[in-house]
């Protein structure tokens, strides 16, 4: 009998096991499936907290609906009737002491018409004049491997990028625009520049594509952990060990020895490491892989929820949240008006907000040292400044995700490719999977978990 050990019970590990178990059931194969998870609860970065009628997501809060890997899984698990969609509305940028709406006719803050540029309240007349350069300057040098920041600044000017585009885009892609390529962010912008002679004109001509954006995200009536709970309940043929940390993995002729924190050792033919790359590196402990692992980077984020005994109608009528232009005016990078965006998160319709504090913010060095009470005070101050609200919350939830957010830098794909090659040569039957490598979004992790399971099945 062959044994497959999956380390890490986040969405990647659970999806992999679901696929392996399906194969076991259909073929009747004699195979032992084991999951080792260090925490007392499965789900990893998907964790729902319910309190006083509020539903709060400590980690991920939703799934991009257009990614096709997720819906078949949701249907197979019988969860369609529990799916909820986000309400759409306007986003704001907090700047110069007030909330200013991002022009409606914009894609990631990039104007999609000359009217959108003209009406923006976020930039000065000089900034608008500078952006007109886009209409008459042809592209002579930029390729998709150049930085998206340099590309946008060249054609649309520094002010528009700094004040209106960068706050949106660097939030979505978790990084400085100067460190991200056109290819890894919005590759179609370069095509538009070539085809229409202008980024703005290109967006205008393709407006319909971006309009499909309504109801873009999904979650579940009782929170996102509905998905991981359902996967867990369906893994009847898997030996699940919770509160079981894997501390070391050693190769032993054609097998692996998986050392558990409780002194037990499991002998495995295949090992799937669905843990962050920093954990995988320690478990394998091989100097020869150090160079490749060090090419993968993480950043940090603190998430703070505040729920109030105040109706959420105090919010701007059409808004779902704001981002900041990374200044010290506020300590947060962004704030989602959760009760407005996700109706299921507040049974009473009272105000629930979520603030995000990222390591890219100048205040983060001080914030990461703060305890829960200090962070709550900081969050309340941000809410007071941005919404003018000066009352104590009735619920709160603080989670520090220290060095837990993968950063997909320009060099990331090369590092992953090199790591995979060395792993295949030195550790056949041991695979790396999860958010550190092939995409951090939940659909990417599901796809990667399923693919990794299939790679093991091919070897079996
Ligand atoms: C704050 C935040 C917000 C996010 N928002 C979204 C969003 O809205 N939409 C979206 O699509 N994605 C979002 N993401 C990303 C997404 O949640 C993650 O990329 C994804 O859930 C990662 O899944 P995973 O299984 O690869 O890893 P993880 O969820 O990190 O799972 C790894 C598991 O391994 C376990 N483990 C670690 N070490 C060991 C060990 N030594 N032995 C045994 N077990 C171990 C951990 O306890 C954990 O359960 C967000 C992430 C964060 C942190």
């Amino acid at each position: 009998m062959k044994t497959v050990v999956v380390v890490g019970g986040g969405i990647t590990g659970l999806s992999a096991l679901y696929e392996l178990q399906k194969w076991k059931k259909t073929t009747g194969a004699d195979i032992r499936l084991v999951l080792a998870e260090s925490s007392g609860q499965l789900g990893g970065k998907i964790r729902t907290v319910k309190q006083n009628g509020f539903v709060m997501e400590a980690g991920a809060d939703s799934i991009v609906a257009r990614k096709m890997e997720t819906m078949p899984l949701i249907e197979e698990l019988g969860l369609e009737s529990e799916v909820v969609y986000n309400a759409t509305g306007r986003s704001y940028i907090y700047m110069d002491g007030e909330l200013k709406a991002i022009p409606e006719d914009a894609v990631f803050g990039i104007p999609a018409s000359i009217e959108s540029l003209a009406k923006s309240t976020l930039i000065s007349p000089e900034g608008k004049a500078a952006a007109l350069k886009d209409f008459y300057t042809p592209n002579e040098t930029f390729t998709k491997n150049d930085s998206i920041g340099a590309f946008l600044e060249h054609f649309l000017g520094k002010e528009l990028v700094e004040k209106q585009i960068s706050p949106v885009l660097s939030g979505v892609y978790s990084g400085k625009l100067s460190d991200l390529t056109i290819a890894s962010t919005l590759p179609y912008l370069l095509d538009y520049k070539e085809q229409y002679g202008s980024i703005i004109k290109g967006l205008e001509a393709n407006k319909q594509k971006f309009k499909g954006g309504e109801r873009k995200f999904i979650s579940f009536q009782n929170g996102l952990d509905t998905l991981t709970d359902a996967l867990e309940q369906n893994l009847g043929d898997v030996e699940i060990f919770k509160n079981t940390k894997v501390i070391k993995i050693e190769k032993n002729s054609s097998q692996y020895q998986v050392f558990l924190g409780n002194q037990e050792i499991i002998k495995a033919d295949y090992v799937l490491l669905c843990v962050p790359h920093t954990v995988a590196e320690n478990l394998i402990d091989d100097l020869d892989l150090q160079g490749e692992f060090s090419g993968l980077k993480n950043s940090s984020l603190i998430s703070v929820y505040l729920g109030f005994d105040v109706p959420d109608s105090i919010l701007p009528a059409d808004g779902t949240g704001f981002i900041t232009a990374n200044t010290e005016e506020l300590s947060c990078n962004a704030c989602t008006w959760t009760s407005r965006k996700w109706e299921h998160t507040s049974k009473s319709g009272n105000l629930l907000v979520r603030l995000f504090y990222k390591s890219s913010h100048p205040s983060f060095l001080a914030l990461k040292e703060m305890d829960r009470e200090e962070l709550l005070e900081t969050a309340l101050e941000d809410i007071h400044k941005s919404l003018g609200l000066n009352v104590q919350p009735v619920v709160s939830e603080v989670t520090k995700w220290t060095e837990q957010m993968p950063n997909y830098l320009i060099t990331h794909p090369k590092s992953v490719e090199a790591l995979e090659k060395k792993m295949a040569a030195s550790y056949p039957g041991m695979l790396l999977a999860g958010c550190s490598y092939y995409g951090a979004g939940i659909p990417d992790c599901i796809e990667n978990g399923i693919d990794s399971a299939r790679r093991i099945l091919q070897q079996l």
Side-chain angles (χ1 to χ4, degrees), residues 294-369:
S294 68
L296 308 180
K297 303 290 177 203
N298 282 330
S299 61
S300 303
L301 181 148
I302 302 169
S303 155
V304 180
Y305 273 98
L306 300 171
F308 297 92
D309 200 5
V310 167
D312 86 352
S313 50
I314 64 143
L315 294 169
D318 56 351
T320 52
F322 68 84
I323 44 185
T324 63
N326 244 13
T327 65
E328 297 202 25
E329 280 190 83
L330 295 183
S331 299
C332 66
N333 293 72
C335 173
T336 302
W337 299 331
T338 308
S339 49
R340 177 63 68 73
K341 190 167 173 186
W342 296 102
E343 211 184 316
H344 71 284
T345 61
S346 172
K347 303 278 176 268
S348 58
N350 278 349
L351 180 67
L352 179 68
V353 296
R354 185 184 195 187
L355 297 104
F356 295 89
Y357 296 87
K358 297 188 184 175
S359 41
S360 57
H361 196 284
S363 308
F364 195 81
L365 273 181
L367 292 168
K368 73 176 186 166
E369 303 302 332

Side-chain angles (χ1 to χ4, degrees), residues 24 42 62 76 111 130 137 149 181 316 322 324 336 367 374 402 420 427 442:
K24 180 177 174 171
L42 303 184
S62 57
E76 268 181 56
T137 316
T181 58
F322 68 84
T324 63
T336 302
L367 292 168
E374 291 167 323
T402 307
E420 286 275 14
Y427 299 95
I442 292 167

Side-chain angles (χ1 to χ4, degrees), residues 7-14 36-39 41-46 58-64 224 244-247 274-276 279 283 301 303 354 356 401 404-406 433-436 439-443 445:
V7 185
I11 187 68
T12 310
L14 291 171
E37 163 57 50
S38 58
S39 125
Q41 184 179 346
L42 303 184
K45 296 186 177 90
I46 299 178
D61 71 0
S62 57
I63 304 174
V64 182
L224 204 56
T244 303
K245 188 173 180 175
V246 174
I247 50 171
C274 302
V275 286
V279 179
L283 293 180
L301 181 148
S303 155
R354 185 184 195 187
F356 295 89
W401 295 100
Q404 291 284 328
M405 312 290 292
C435 57
S436 292
I442 292 167
C445 293

Side-chain angles (χ1 to χ4, degrees), residues 357-384:
Y357 296 87
K358 297 188 184 175
S359 41
S360 57
H361 196 284
S363 308
F364 195 81
L365 273 181
L367 292 168
K368 73 176 186 166
E369 303 302 332
M370 289 185 183
D371 63 20
R372 186 187 144 83
E373 293 312 313
E374 291 167 323
L375 284 166
L376 284 176
E377 238 171 72
T378 306
L380 271 172
E381 205 178 306
D382 283 349
I383 289 302
H384 176 56

Side-chain angles (χ1 to χ4, degrees), residues 412-434:
H412 180 91
K414 275 206 174 130
S415 304
V416 173
E417 197 187 327
L419 186 56
E420 286 275 14
K421 262 194 196 146
K422 277 198 179 171
M423 284 292 295
S426 309
Y427 299 95
M430 178 143 74
L431 302 181
L432 301 170

